[in-house]
Amino acid sequence: MYLQGGTEKLSDEAIEDTLEKVVKLLAYISDKDLFAEFYRKKLARRLLFDKSSSDDHERAILARLKQQCGAQFTSKMEGMVTDLQLARDKQQQFEEWRTSQNKSLRIDLTVTVLTTGFWPSYKATDLALPQEMVDGVEQFKEFYEASVKHRKLTWIYSLGNCHLKGNFDAKPIELVITTSQAALLLLFNSGEQLTYEEVKERLNAGDDDVIRLLHSLSCAKHKVLLKEPANRTINKSDSFKLNVKFTDRMRRVKIPLPPVDERKKVVEDVDKDRRYAIDAAVVRTMKSRKVLKHQQLVLEVVQQLQRMFHPDFRLIKKRIEDLISREYLERDKDDPNTFKYMA
C-alpha cells in the first residue's frame, strides 16, 4: 500500500524502513516465483494507471529484491520501470512529429509503447473503435513505423482509459472510463436504442467482454445506460439506450469495470514457467553429469530450484518422462533407474 499513490503520506525514511521489512519477510516465503508474478501484476497496474507513489520507491524495493533473490528475479520488473520512461519519451517524439507533419486529431491521444517480454500477458482484441479513435491509432502507427523497423504494434485496448464528455440534460459530466466502455457509449451518439446483439456486432467483441461492459454502464452505481428489462442481469434479449437524465453531484465520474479474478491465470502461468525451469535444470544437470541415477538427479534439480520454489517430486518425475519422450534423455537398458544424457 506504501507504493500506491494517494495512500497515507509517510516520510521517505519511514517508507524505506517498511520496504526493508517487507523484503526481509520474503526470505520466509517458499514459492518466491509465485510472489514475483503477483508482484509483477500489481506493479504493472501501478505503473500503467499512474498509481505509483514514486518511481524512486519502486526502484528502491526492486534493488532490495534483486539483492535478496538475484538479478533474474527482478529483471522483468526493472525492465517495466525503464520501459515506462522510454514510453514517455516516445510520446513526446510523437507530439513533435505531429507538429512537424501538421497532423491534427479530434481527440487527445496518449500511447504507451511497452516491450512484450517485460510485462504480464494481456488479452488483445479486435475491438471496433469509433472513427475518432481509429484516426489516432492510424496516425500513431504511421509515426511508429517510420521511426522503428521490424517491430509490430499490438494494441491492448483493455488497458486503455478515456475521459469522455457526456452532454446529459441536467449538466455535462466528464466520464472517466476504459477505452472499451468509451467505444460502447459512442455507439449511442445517434440516440437510437440498441439490442445486446447489435452492441456485440458493432463492437466486434466476445460475450464475456460485452456483458462486463454493459453491466458496468447499466447495472452498477452509475447508470449511464438504461436497459430493458430493468434488472441487474445482462441477457442476450436485452436492449439499451442512453440515460439522458443521468446526473451526479460531481462533474467528473469514474466508472470502473467489474474486477476480474486474475489469481487463477497467475497460478497457471507460474505452473507453466515451473515446467520450463524443471526441464532446464534436468537437462543442465544431465549435460554435465552424462549418467545419473533417478534419486540423485531429483535431488540435484531440487537443490538448483529451491531458491525460487520447492518443486514437487511427482512433477519432476513427469518432466523427466517428457524429456525422455523428446529424446533428451534415455533410460539405461540394464538399470531403469539410471538415465543417460543424449547429446
Side-chain angles (χ1 to χ4, degrees):
M1 64 177 286
Y2 298 108
L3 296 174
Q4 181 97 2
T7 56
E8 179 187 359
K9 297 295 182 183
L10 298 177
S11 67
D12 287 345
E13 293 78 10
I15 292 176
E16 290 288 327
D17 182 59
T18 302
L19 297 182
E20 183 71 32
K21 292 176 181 177
V22 169
V23 173
K24 284 181 179 179
L25 282 175
L26 186 59
Y28 300 95
I29 298 176
S30 58
D31 293 333
K32 293 183 176 61
D33 57 340
L34 191 59
F35 168 85
E37 192 61 23
F38 275 112
Y39 187 89
R40 193 161 69 104
K41 285 273 190 181
K42 296 295 185 183
L43 174 62
R45 294 195 68 83
R46 289 198 300 274
L47 295 177
L48 291 177
F49 296 106
D50 199 24
K51 297 291 187 181
S52 181
S53 60
S54 164
D55 283 353
D56 291 339
H57 291 150
E58 297 289 3
R59 292 184 186 277
I61 193 168
L62 289 179
R64 286 177 168 81
L65 290 172
K66 184 176 183 177
Q67 185 177 17
Q68 177 92 357
C69 303
Q72 186 177 356
F73 186 87
T74 58
S75 60
K76 290 183 178 180
M77 302 178 210
E78 290 174 315
M80 289 162 60
V81 176
T82 303
D83 225 14
L84 212 63
Q85 182 57 56
L86 295 175
R88 295 187 190 110
D89 295 341
K90 183 66 70 177
Q91 175 66 24
Q92 180 63 36
Q93 294 167 20
F94 175 52
E95 297 294 341
E96 293 169 358
W97 176 84
R98 284 180 56 202
T99 301
S100 66
Q101 298 290 319
N102 197 25
K103 300 275 189 178
S104 62
L105 286 173
R106 287 178 287 171
I107 60 173
D108 293 327
L109 175 69
T110 301
V111 179
T112 304
V113 181
L114 308 174
T115 306
T116 303
F118 294 146
W119 297 79
S121 58
Y122 297 104
K123 179 182 174 183
T125 59
D126 293 324
L127 183 71
L129 297 174
Q131 191 58 48
E132 299 92 331
M133 295 184 187
V134 171
D135 292 342
V137 167
E138 293 300 323
Q139 203 173 103
F140 189 86
K141 284 170 64 177
E142 182 184 348
F143 153 75
Y144 190 79
E145 290 170 0
S147 61
V148 179
K149 305 296 182 184
H150 312 299
R151 289 192 179 183
K152 179 185 176 183
L153 285 175
T154 301
W155 295 82
I156 311 296
Y157 300 121
S158 60
L159 294 176
N161 62 81
C162 290
H163 290 242
L164 196 67
K165 181 180 179 182
N167 292 312
F168 302 102
D169 287 353
K171 64 180 180 180
I173 296 178
E174 182 180 341
L175 305 176
V176 183
I177 51 182
T178 68
T179 302
S180 304
Q181 287 173 311
L184 190 155
L185 282 179
L186 289 172
L187 295 177
F188 294 89
N189 262 351
S190 62
E192 64 181 313
Q193 183 166 305
L194 299 175
T195 66
Y196 172 95
E197 294 295 343
E198 287 172 333
V199 170
K200 178 183 174 183
E201 181 181 355
R202 294 193 191 186
L203 284 181
N204 190 37
D207 284 312
D208 289 344
D209 292 330
V210 173
I211 289 171
R212 287 183 72 228
L213 291 170
L214 287 171
H215 191 279
S216 68
L217 295 167
S218 65
C219 301
K221 178 181 178 182
H222 302 291
K223 296 178 174 56
V224 181
L225 295 179
L226 297 176
K227 71 182 290 291
E228 295 180 5
N231 52 37
R232 296 180 61 84
T233 304
I234 303 296
N235 295 299
K236 294 183 179 181
S237 58
D238 292 345
S239 61
F240 303 84
K241 64 179 179 180
L242 187 66
N243 179 13
V244 295
K245 301 294 185 184
F246 175 77
T247 189
D248 193 270
R249 62 184 181 86
M250 307 296 290
R251 290 195 173 273
R252 175 184 290 184
V253 172
K254 185 175 182 179
I255 306 178
L257 275 173
V260 176
D261 188 354
E262 296 180 333
R263 286 175 294 181
K264 183 179 179 181
K265 186 178 185 307
V266 170
V267 172
E268 288 175 352
D269 289 344
V270 169
D271 285 343
K272 186 189 298 181
D273 289 341
R274 286 182 177 182
R275 292 198 295 270
Y276 294 145
I278 293 171
D279 286 357
V282 170
V283 171
R284 189 165 51 242
T285 301
M286 291 303 300
K287 188 175 183 179
S288 64
R289 304 292 292 276
K290 305 303 180 186
V291 178
L292 210 58
K293 287 190 173 294
H294 178 269
Q295 185 175 7
Q296 186 61 34
L297 174 59
V298 170
L299 289 176
E300 292 202 20
V301 168
V302 170
Q303 188 174 10
Q304 287 184 42
L305 299 176
Q306 64 183 357
R307 187 177 181 182
M308 288 300 293
F309 67 97
H310 290 294
D312 184 81
F313 288 167
R314 291 170 297 180
L315 180 57
I316 296 176
K317 181 179 179 181
K318 187 175 180 180
R319 300 316 305 160
I320 291 173
E321 295 295 337
D322 184 72
L323 289 169
I324 291 173
S325 69
R326 289 188 280 152
E327 299 183 348
Y328 283 89
L329 315 176
E330 65 176 355
R331 292 184 185 275
D332 186 278
K333 294 179 181 178
D334 299 322
D335 183 4
N337 282 324
T338 299
F339 303 109
K340 296 180 180 180
Y341 177 69
M342 298 176 69

